[in-house]
Amino acid sequence: MYKIEKFSKNIYMKKIISIFLIVLFLSIFLIINVNLKISYAESKRYIYDGTNLDTSKYPGFKERLDTIKAKHPNWNFVIMETGLDFEQVIKAQYTGHLATPKNLIQGKSGGWICSICGDRVYDTGNWKCASEETIRYYIDSRNWLVDSPYLFQFLQTNYLETTDDKVYNSLNGTFLYSRDNATVINRVCREKNANPYYVIARLIQEQGNAGGATSKMVDTDGTVYYNLFNIGASGNSKEEVYNNALARAKREGWTSIEKCLSDGITFLFSSYINNKQNSIYLNKFDVETYGGVYVRQYMQNVEAPKSEGTSMYNKMKSAGLLDEKLTFIIPVYENMQSTTSTSPDSRTEAYPKNIRVKEGHSNVMIRAGRSTTSTPIGKIADSSVVVLSVERYSDGWHRVVLVDGTTGYVKFNSSYLEEIDDL
């Protein structure tokens, strides 16, 4: 009996060991396989020499690149073959509806706005979810391959040799304009291998030229904190954004501009640049599959690459650096349409809406054109008069039809106008 039990136990242990070895083998295989997939999926990058771009696969790039290269022979262009299907990228970006959209836009209406979220506002209340068409327009890198400031959203973020004086001159008109700040920015950027003009453009994007509320914060005990990059500054109200920004600055000990800059650049590089997202465009659109796609996206503002690129261009132009040997990283996608993606229409006729004056208001002017100086053609007397709005524009004007059939324009203001359902 003892031998049988011992024999059974031996068989049981052998089974356990066999199962363990199988699991171990499969785990190692999966790890190796995953690593191979990540390595395999990593973007393919190469310097464009004028002949090594497949124009049938990536239409519309060569002509634009050749035109820019002819004007700027010192500039280099790195083609970044993402390996991603263009339409799949758009679909992956068009997510987060009614919760946390990946892409937001402000100051636009009509086709620029997501039809799912509609007029729902996000962040501090000035932002709306961007439409699929809007996302396609901004992600299509061909739209920005022109000899203009927009191109600089593709500029590689490595340190560009410059002087403290040039950095100082580029800070003119901003809240950072001082020689001490210029010296600090240039020194920290050199140490971190970061383009100082990229950093300045990012700071202006976050804080504006005058400096935002989080650029310098005073705690209840009088301690001054800085959160120049707005790291952790999230929320759906100004107060919430400010409090979160202050909490992060206190936790990190950002009591000086230099400390804030140094840690902020480290954050940018560890989370983005070191994952091969080494341009403003790639900071926004994580289409580098090294480490996963769509995971690290610095901002929700879909227009940020364009505006930050413009800011960086202007700073570098004022510093006299446009003729330096600059390198631009140009993402290309699989199955792109032959023509570039067009910008959305600012107006929409998806559905007409009735407009009337709110109670207590009267004599709202209707004009012949979309301007307060345009010829008056009528008035909405009071709340008893209803007009039909058939087009809505990004500047706030509506094209309306009066009860007698006359068409005109009114600047919509929710303080004295309201939309109503059909009567």
Side-chain angles (χ1 to χ4, degrees), residues 30-69:
L30 286 172
I31 290 171
I32 293 173
N33 193 43
V34 167
N35 286 336
L36 286 174
K37 283 184 178 180
I38 291 174
S39 176
Y40 178 76
E42 194 174 322
S43 68
K44 177 184 177 183
R45 303 190 185 200
Y46 53 89
I47 296 177
Y48 174 66
D49 65 7
T51 63
N52 57 347
L53 180 64
D54 188 341
T55 55
S56 62
K57 192 174 183 181
Y58 306 117
F61 285 92
K62 177 176 171 53
E63 301 85 348
R64 291 170 171 81
L65 290 172
D66 289 346
T67 298
I68 300 171
K69 185 72 174 175

Side-chain angles (χ1 to χ4, degrees), residues 366-369 377 388 397-402 405-410:
I366 304 295
R367 298 183 180 274
I377 61 171
L388 180 66
W397 287 85
H398 285 228
R399 186 165 73 90
V400 298
V401 179
L402 305 183
T406 302
T407 60
Y409 297 86
V410 60

Side-chain angles (χ1 to χ4, degrees), residues 10 18 85 96 114 136 140 177 196 202 266 298 305 318 349 357 386:
N10 287 338
S18 298
D85 180 83
C114 160
R136 181 178 287 104
D140 192 337
Y177 187 49
R202 174 57 50 82
T266 297
Y298 185 82
S318 67
E349 296 182 28
V357 178
V386 176

Side-chain angles (χ1 to χ4, degrees), residues 219 225-227 231-233 243-255 259 263:
D219 198 13
Y225 291 95
Y226 302 86
N227 194 336
I231 296 172
N243 289 336
N244 287 335
L246 177 59
R248 182 61 179 267
K250 290 172 66 176
R251 187 164 69 249
E252 303 293 343
W254 292 336
T255 56
K259 173 67 172 169
D263 287 359

Side-chain angles (χ1 to χ4, degrees), residues 79-144:
I79 304 300
M80 174 187 168
E81 293 186 357
T82 64
L84 302 173
D85 180 83
F86 187 63
E87 290 303 319
Q88 289 301 316
V89 171
I90 306 305
K91 286 180 171 56
Q93 290 289 336
Y94 191 53
T95 57
H97 304 293
L98 305 175
T100 309
K102 278 189 177 295
N103 294 276
L104 299 177
I105 196 165
Q106 66 176 346
K108 293 288 198 301
S109 63
W112 296 90
I113 307 302
C114 160
S115 59
I116 299 173
C117 298
D119 287 332
R120 184 187 179 100
V121 293
Y122 296 92
D123 199 38
T124 56
N126 297 319
W127 298 86
K128 294 182 180 179
C129 182
S131 69
E132 188 172 347
E133 188 179 6
T134 299
I135 296 169
R136 181 178 287 104
Y137 173 63
Y138 281 105
I139 286 184
D140 192 337
S141 45
R142 293 171 297 184
N143 281 322
W144 319 113

